[in-house]
Amino acid sequence: QVQLVESGGGLVQPGGSLRLSCAASGSIFTIRAMGWYRQAPGKERELVARITSGGTNYANSVKGRFTISRDNAKNTAYLQMNSLKPEDTAVYYCNAAVVMVSGTYLEAWGQGTRVTVSS
């Protein structure tokens, strides 16, 4: 019922930057929260950043380097990633907690976008 479409992943050199975007679509009344998670091979999926009306939170490993933001009018979240390190290499997933027009609460995940940081 809710679709999240991600873009912006790719290959970058260490120290470089990428900007990921996640657009939510469907019969959405409001989005309570949006977040970015990542999963590297052989590791568990972990929270990278999350944004709600109350603020933001980040994984310690990305604090000071990544910034999450949201355009409420476009139902879109962004993840600005600066000073990228090889250990940031992972598949990044968008997540949203959504209230539909019907009143139904849903949690949605994007398909994932691959970020590779390598020289």
Side-chain angles (χ1 to χ4, degrees):
Q1 301 183 53
V2 177
Q3 184 177 12
L4 303 181
V5 179
E6 300 162 313
S7 61
L11 173 66
V12 296
Q13 296 181 350
S17 297
L18 281 175
R19 182 177 173 87
L20 307 182
S21 64
C22 172
S25 62
S27 300
I28 298 170
F29 176 71
T30 189
I31 300 178
R32 294 289 181 84
M34 299 191 77
W36 290 93
Y37 295 73
R38 68 186 182 188
Q39 187 168 25
K43 296 185 178 180
E44 295 184 353
R45 187 174 298 186
E46 65 174 348
L47 173 69
V48 177
R50 187 170 176 83
I51 185 168
T52 68
S53 61
T56 59
N57 62 287
Y58 298 89
N60 288 334
S61 60
V62 307
K63 286 182 179 178
R65 300 188 297 119
F66 291 9
T67 302
I68 188 170
S69 61
R70 178 165 63 161
D71 185 334
N72 292 330
K74 296 182 178 180
N75 288 331
T76 300
Y78 306 92
L79 185 67
Q80 179 66 46
M81 305 187 293
N82 299 325
S83 302
L84 283 162
K85 304 175 180 179
E87 50 263 44
D88 295 319
T89 296
V91 177
Y92 285 70
Y93 298 90
C94 180
N95 172 264
V98 180
V99 181
M100 308 303 290
V101 172
S102 65
T104 300
Y105 285 70
L106 297 174
E107 185 175 5
W109 289 90
Q111 79 288 345
T113 183
R114 187 176 300 275
V115 172
T116 302
V117 184
S118 176
S119 59

